[in-house]
Amino acid sequence: MKASEQIPNDTITSKGIETITGLSEVEAQKRLKDEGYNELPSQKRQNIFVILIHVVLEPMLLLLLGAGLIYVLLGEKQDALMLLIFVFVVVGITFYQQQKTERALEALKNLSSPRALVIRNGQQKRIPGREVVREDYIVLREGDRVPADAVVIFSSNLSIDESLLTGESLAVRKSEWDGKASMTQPGGDDLPFVFSGTLVVQGHGIARVLSIGSQTEMGKIGKALQKITPEETLLKKETSRLVKNFAIGGLILCSLVVIIYGITRGDWIVAFLAGVSLSMAILPEEFPVVLMIFMSLGAWRMSKRQVLTRNTASIEMLGAATMLCVDKTGTLTQNKMILSSLFCDNQFYNMEKNCEKPLPECFHDLLEYGNLASQRDPFDPIEKEIKRTTEKFLQNTEHIHDPWKLVREYPLSKHLLTLSHVWESQDKRKHVISAKGAPEAIADLCHFTKEQTKELLIHIKEMTDKGLRVLGVARSSFKEDSLPDKQHDFEYEFVGLLGFVDPVRLTVAPSLKECYTAGMRMIMITGDYPGTAQHIARQIGLKNPEKFITGPELSQMNPDELREKIKTINIFARVIPEQKLAIVDALKANGEIVAMTGDGVNDAPALKSSHIGIAMGERGTDVARESSSIVLLNDDFSSIVQAVRLGRRIFDNLRKSISYIFSVHIPIAGMALIPVLMGLPLVLLPAHIAFLELIIDPACSTVFEAEREEKNIMNRPPRNLKERLFGRKNLLYSFIQGLSVLIAVIFIFLWFYNGTPAKEDQARTLSFATLVIANIMLIIVNLSGTHSLVTTVNSKNKALWLVVIGAILTLLMILLIPFLQNLFHFSPIPLIDFFIATIAGIISVSWFKVIDLVKRKSHMKPT
């Protein structure tokens, strides 16, 4: 479709940018409803029937169906019907958990959608990229991903990297639309069209959306995205290995059971039933399900704490983080700049103390040219503060220049940390140039002598020692029509210094203290002066605030020297983003597990190289977010610490869940295997194991996932990455737990069976009751290693109470209702016998809590 057909004749050009109002929210919502979201078809939610098919094909359900078929062959219709009911119940529970996970992933997808800055109702507004609609006006800034195919109506030095679509690595220049050009293919300079997924590498602009979703150039090649397969995480590999080992061992044991039972007793159908029972008892199909649920719901819980997890591997790494490398501005501070001090003509002026007094005349030029070097409708906090202060003190004076026209911008670059605006004066007789930036760069622009620079640095240090962020301001004029290519070609005059204070976030000091108790170090990285960084460091309680390394010093160091110095240095000042990578590499070489924050395009290498890249959600660029594994939605340091806490909790609870799964399968497998080997009647039939699965499935996922963190979770060192999720120590502990339950259940069966076939059903009933009670106790005991049994039972874990109460009530119904007794091949039992079975089940597990108590007391004793 031609661009001229999509842009009306009254399209606003660059001469009237400030008059753009964009769509109203009502119009945008209507387009969203009519045309759909700005996303590729592959991003849609998983179909409900696909989820159902995956659930039905679970090995456990297939085994239940196999057992049901055997019962049909035996003519046991009631047993077959009961197993079918269990199939539906298990499908329902699993399906509910899958749907819950899917909803969590959907919520995360909405958060993780690339952010877009649009103009609606005349206001700039950040929205998820998927909510951009056709005819929206989008603001393009350096480092952002273009959210949709659009036509440029205003640009300033706008260059786009279109390599994603064209394969060409060189960025292409963009021009403003002339009202005639038609939509073209990506590639080539000076075209007015931008395309979804491409990256703004320089300048800024405004564009009007032409196409969204599958109608974009990206949408046309969207199928290629479906070929991308995520790499398996360490946890997934470990659980896969566990399942594989269990499956191989289970297959061997099941084959032996079928063969031994068939040969010794001659009943091959019952032999197959025994084999199915053992398969159901041994197969730990819960492992991969638990991992998926823990990671998905864990990521969702983190999003509730303003932390977006872009990949689940980062959750594994969080609990192991030993080093947090954090930007000062906006993360440790509020990113709320207040103009606190002015310096001009060798004198300081305190803005905070004199905020209600008229501004002395000698400082008027400083605010005037600082404002001229800023955007008219600023987004940057510093520029907003400059504009606010200028309008407050200089309104209705000759220092406000609303009619002036901005004719050129010289952007900030890594080679020259200043920017300049060229204005056409009202009489059009000359150009007025204003510049602002790093004071050293401004001094360079003004061609200061060494003595002048030295004197200026003294004044700068005086300001930075008070924690101020300092900017220099300069001015120039130019009478010729043809403007030079470089800022240095103007003759600048130094005007003065602006000092801003960025208040520290109130949550930082207690969060940093928590970091230290958790065995983590923090490094502050800033582009500000050492004095400013040290002032902040003392406020928040950062260790060794007297030591620092500056960017120029860092550039002179070799890797080995940096590795040694970084062991005690916690402040890096005057650092450019590219130097973050050297810091990350030095820390990694020292064996640290590094979490690194960043927000700009140049931060991407460091974010990608670190173990946990943390991008800023509010002020960060899309390329920084795409290079990271975590996004802070509120840019707050305390959110990082909360994420570490939650990461440790998730890993702890996952380990507890795996331990429980292993423990509970020991007695189930033992009671399916031992009677065959000892020539006893079958104790656990497929229906019994299916009932136990109704307790195990929600317990190992929902109950353990919802459990609160341990008391000491942030009072212990970070987890060693080499530490296995389920190592030998955990394996032995869980095996002993399961063996203890197995001994209790066997004891109850043998005690009440006593070699009398007439008592077979009664012994089966009581051993089953013992196993259910012991199962409940296993859940409670494994939930916490630091809380007492009473505290655990009285916890606010609603899922625990639902599972426990549901299991006990159902058990009582099975034991008391004759119809259910017959289905389970049970018989009525005296109350005293049930009491004995209950006590046996409780004692078989609760003694582990006594061991935990002894361990806690021994750790508390002074050494």
Side-chain angles (χ1 to χ4, degrees):
M1 184 178 292
K2 293 183 179 180
S4 56
E5 294 175 347
Q6 300 202 37
I7 306 292
N9 294 329
D10 62 346
T11 297
I12 301 157
T13 65
S14 60
K15 294 182 180 179
I17 286 301
E18 59 274 6
T19 65
I20 293 179
T21 59
L23 298 175
S24 69
E25 285 298 331
V26 174
E27 291 172 323
Q29 290 302 317
K30 186 176 185 302
R31 287 190 180 276
L32 198 63
K33 183 179 180 181
D34 293 342
E35 300 179 12
Y37 286 105
N38 177 34
E39 59 187 4
L40 302 181
S42 59
Q43 292 174 300
K44 290 182 180 178
R45 290 184 62 181
Q46 194 174 6
N47 188 288
I48 190 170
F49 295 107
V50 173
I51 296 175
L52 193 59
I53 290 171
H54 283 307
V55 171
V56 172
L57 292 179
E58 284 290 325
M60 178 61 69
L61 296 178
L62 293 178
L63 285 171
L64 280 173
L65 291 171
L69 180 61
I70 294 174
Y71 276 126
V72 170
L73 294 174
L74 291 173
E76 300 287 348
K77 294 181 180 179
Q78 285 188 337
D79 291 292
L81 180 62
M82 183 175 60
L83 282 182
L84 188 61
I85 292 171
F86 276 135
V87 167
F88 281 115
V89 174
V90 173
V91 166
I93 292 173
T94 312
F95 183 70
Y96 169 75
Q97 291 173 337
Q98 291 272 20
Q99 280 285 83
K100 188 176 180 181
T101 301
E102 194 69 22
R103 285 194 296 271
L105 293 174
E106 179 73 10
L108 288 174
K109 189 180 77 173
N110 292 336
L111 287 171
S112 62
S113 172
R115 313 295 285 176
L117 187 60
V118 299
I119 300 174
R120 289 185 182 170
N121 294 323
Q123 300 292 321
Q124 293 185 19
K125 179 183 179 183
R126 279 211 170 273
I127 63 172
R130 66 193 297 264
E131 293 179 10
V132 169
V133 297
R134 196 168 51 80
E135 295 189 7
D136 252 332
Y137 284 97
I138 52 177
V139 180
L140 304 174
R141 301 183 308 157
E142 184 177 316
D144 284 348
R145 286 282 178 193
V146 180
D149 289 3
V151 61
V152 178
I153 62 169
F154 165 76
S155 68
S156 175
N157 300 325
L158 187 62
S159 294
I160 306 283
D161 177 359
E162 296 182 346
S163 58
L164 188 69
L165 297 173
T166 65
E168 295 293 332
S169 58
L170 292 177
V172 293
R173 294 187 307 273
K174 293 298 176 181
S175 63
E176 296 174 9
W177 185 57
D178 58 5
K180 298 177 182 178
S182 300
M183 192 70 173
T184 59
Q185 295 293 316
D189 284 318
D190 299 318
L191 294 174
F193 301 102
V194 292
F195 302 92
S196 176
T198 57
L199 177 67
V200 181
V201 294
Q202 187 178 13
H204 58 271
I206 296 177
R208 190 174 185 182
V209 175
L210 303 180
S211 305
I212 62 170
S214 59
Q215 301 303 312
T216 62
E217 289 296 317
M218 173 68 79
K220 295 173 184 176
I221 58 172
K223 290 183 179 179
L225 298 176
Q226 298 173 2
K227 297 178 182 178
I228 300 173
T229 54
E231 185 181 350
E232 283 194 343
T233 66
L234 293 173
L235 282 181
K236 193 169 183 181
K237 289 176 181 176
E238 190 171 345
T239 52
S240 297
R241 185 169 58 249
L242 281 171
V243 172
K244 182 180 177 181
N245 292 340
F246 270 93
I248 292 172
L251 183 63
I252 294 171
L253 282 175
C254 293
S255 301
L256 288 174
V257 164
V258 172
I259 293 169
I260 293 171
Y261 196 101
I263 293 174
T264 57
R265 307 195 190 186
D267 194 337
W268 287 97
I269 293 181
V270 177
F272 276 109
L273 271 179
V276 169
S277 297
L278 187 58
S279 299
M280 293 170 65
I282 291 178
L283 185 66
E285 85 290 345
E286 299 94 350
F287 284 172
V289 175
V290 163
L291 181 63
M292 179 187 68
I293 290 173
F294 266 70
M295 291 304 167
S296 300
L297 293 183
W300 177 75
R301 286 186 190 278
M302 283 192 174
S303 72
K304 293 294 183 182
R305 289 169 171 79
Q306 301 298 303
V307 179
L308 172 63
T309 309
R310 296 189 71 252
N311 62 66
T312 55
S314 60
I315 296 178
E316 300 177 39
M317 302 297 290
L318 276 170
T322 61
M323 184 69 61
L324 304 180
C325 298
V326 183
D327 285 317
K328 175 185 74 67
T329 304
T331 308
L332 301 178
T333 60
Q334 296 177 22
N335 202 22
K336 182 183 178 182
M337 288 296 176
I338 298 170
L339 187 53
S340 173
S341 180
L342 305 179
F343 174 80
C344 186
D345 295 334
N346 285 318
Q347 57 181 312
F348 287 99
Y349 185 76
N350 192 312
M351 295 288 288
E352 289 183 293
K353 287 184 179 179
N354 303 291
C355 59
E356 299 304 323
K357 297 179 181 178
L359 185 69
E361 183 68 31
C362 61
F363 295 101
H364 286 197
D365 285 355
L366 178 57
L367 282 185
E368 174 188 357
Y369 284 94
N371 190 42
L372 286 173
S374 304
Q375 297 294 326
R376 284 202 162 175
D377 185 16
F379 188 76
D380 180 79
I382 285 181
E383 294 192 346
K384 280 185 176 181
E385 177 66 4
I386 292 173
K387 181 180 180 181
R388 185 194 67 80
T389 309
T390 303
E391 290 177 347
K392 177 181 178 180
F393 289 102
L394 303 182
Q395 195 68 43
N396 301 320
T397 70
E398 72 277 10
H399 298 286
I400 300 291
H401 306 288
D402 288 335
W404 284 15
K405 176 188 173 184
L406 180 65
V407 294
R408 181 161 180 181
E409 292 183 60
Y410 291 88
L412 195 79
S413 72
K414 63 182 179 181
H415 303 294
L416 184 62
L417 297 175
T418 68
L419 59 86
S420 294
H421 285 180
V422 181
W423 298 88
E424 185 180 82
S425 61
Q426 196 166 4
D427 59 10
K428 298 186 179 180
R429 291 182 180 178
K430 65 176 181 179
H431 293 111
V432 176
I433 302 98
S434 59
K436 78 172 190 295
E440 306 102 312
I442 291 293
D444 183 29
L445 277 183
C446 297
H447 303 290
F448 271 21
T449 63
K450 288 184 179 179
E451 290 74 19
Q452 287 176 310
T453 303
K454 185 176 180 181
E455 185 180 352
L456 180 65
L457 289 174
I458 293 172
H459 299 310
I460 292 169
K461 188 175 187 302
E462 191 175 342
M463 297 176 77
T464 58
D465 285 348
K466 296 175 183 177
L468 300 181
R469 182 175 181 182
V470 184
L471 289 181
V473 177
R475 64 185 170 194
S476 182
S477 61
F478 196 76
K479 291 185 178 181
E480 296 179 26
D481 293 332
S482 178
L483 296 172
D485 293 330
K486 298 183 296 183
Q487 296 183 68
H488 262 296
D489 293 335
F490 295 110
E491 294 292 332
Y492 281 99
E493 174 191 355
F494 181 75
V495 179
L497 301 173
L498 302 170
F500 300 85
V501 62
D502 186 4
V504 171
R505 293 181 186 263
L506 297 177
T507 55
V508 172
S511 296
L512 180 56
K513 186 178 180 181
E514 193 173 10
C515 274
Y516 287 143
T517 59
M520 295 183 291
R521 263 181 70 199
M522 190 191 88
I523 285 179
M524 179 200 301
I525 301 174
T526 178
D528 280 342
Y529 289 90
T532 306
Q534 288 177 306
H535 183 80
I536 297 294
R538 292 186 183 99
Q539 281 185 276
I540 64 176
L542 187 69
K543 292 181 179 178
N544 300 330
E546 69 283 351
K547 297 181 180 180
F548 61 85
I549 293 176
T550 64
E553 291 171 346
L554 180 60
S555 63
Q556 300 299 317
M557 290 183 184
N558 61 51
D560 291 335
E561 187 180 359
L562 178 58
R563 279 185 60 184
E564 190 58 35
K565 284 186 174 294
I566 208 169
K567 291 177 181 178
T568 56
I569 299 295
N570 294 328
I571 298 176
F572 286 81
R574 303 306 282 168
V575 170
I576 60 174
E578 287 87 342
Q579 292 178 316
K580 286 186 176 182
L581 182 60
I583 295 171
V584 170
D585 289 343
L587 290 169
K588 288 170 66 177
N590 286 344
E592 304 284 1
I593 305 300
V594 185
M596 165 68 76
T597 67
D599 59 3
V601 177
N602 294 335
D603 291 331
L607 290 172
K608 207 160 191 177
S609 177
S610 64
H611 297 98
I612 310 164
I614 304 174
M616 302 296 104
E618 289 184 343
R619 69 182 190 276
T621 58
D622 283 342
V623 70
R625 284 191 284 270
E626 289 174 10
S627 301
S628 67
S629 47
I630 284 176
V631 178
L632 291 188
L633 299 179
N634 61 357
D635 294 5
D636 190 345
F637 171 72
S638 64
S639 295
I640 303 175
V641 181
Q642 288 302 313
V644 171
R645 173 186 285 272
L646 193 55
R648 290 187 177 192
R649 168 188 159 178
I650 290 168
F651 191 87
D652 271 9
N653 287 348
L654 182 59
R655 173 178 281 167
K656 294 172 189 175
S657 180
I658 297 293
S659 296
Y660 162 72
I661 292 170
F662 184 74
S663 297
V664 79
H665 277 79
I666 296 294
I668 297 174
M671 292 308 295
L673 177 64
I674 291 174
V676 175
L677 299 179
M678 295 178 63
L680 297 171
L682 291 182
V683 179
L684 292 182
L685 303 175
H688 303 147
I689 298 173
F691 175 81
L692 291 169
E693 285 294 330
L694 296 184
I695 303 173
I696 296 170
D697 281 351
C700 66
S701 54
T702 309
V703 175
F704 282 94
E705 194 279 329
E707 181 62 14
R708 60 184 174 171
E709 68 266 13
E710 300 286 1
K711 294 177 183 177
N712 66 341
I713 197 164
M714 294 298 278
N715 294 326
R716 63 192 191 209
R719 174 178 60 87
N720 189 329
L721 271 184
K722 295 179 181 178
E723 183 183 348
R724 300 279 291 273
L725 170 67
F726 201 61
R728 292 180 181 178
K729 187 177 178 181
N730 304 96
L731 185 70
L732 180 62
Y733 186 76
S734 297
F735 179 78
I736 294 172
Q737 276 190 336
L739 186 63
S740 177
V741 174
L742 177 60
I743 291 171
V745 175
I746 289 176
F747 172 78
I748 291 295
F749 181 80
L750 294 176
W751 177 272
F752 287 99
Y753 177 60
N754 199 23
T756 309
K759 293 184 178 181
E760 178 184 326
D761 286 350
Q762 184 182 6
R764 179 183 293 115
T765 306
L766 290 167
S767 58
F768 180 77
T770 305
L771 187 52
V772 171
I773 299 298
N775 188 358
I776 293 171
M777 290 302 300
L778 276 174
I779 297 170
I780 295 171
V781 166
N782 281 289
L783 269 179
S784 174
T786 59
H787 297 125
S788 67
L789 201 61
V790 176
T791 305
T792 305
V793 171
N794 290 328
S795 72
K796 296 179 181 179
N797 191 333
K798 294 180 181 178
L800 170 65
W801 282 106
L802 287 173
V803 169
V804 170
I805 293 172
I808 292 174
L809 288 178
T810 309
L811 176 63
L812 292 175
M813 289 171 61
I814 293 171
L815 297 179
L816 296 175
I817 299 174
F819 173 72
L820 294 177
Q821 287 177 1
N822 292 332
L823 281 179
F824 277 83
H825 299 280
F826 289 163
S827 67
I829 53 174
L831 183 61
I832 186 64
D833 291 350
F834 176 72
F835 180 74
I836 293 170
T838 301
I839 294 298
I842 293 173
I843 292 175
S844 68
V845 181
S846 57
W847 66 275
F848 286 92
K849 271 296 176 185
V850 178
I851 295 176
D852 288 340
L853 180 62
V854 172
K855 282 183 180 178
R856 286 201 302 273
K857 286 189 174 181
S858 64
H859 288 157
M860 287 164 53
K861 288 180 182 179
T863 55

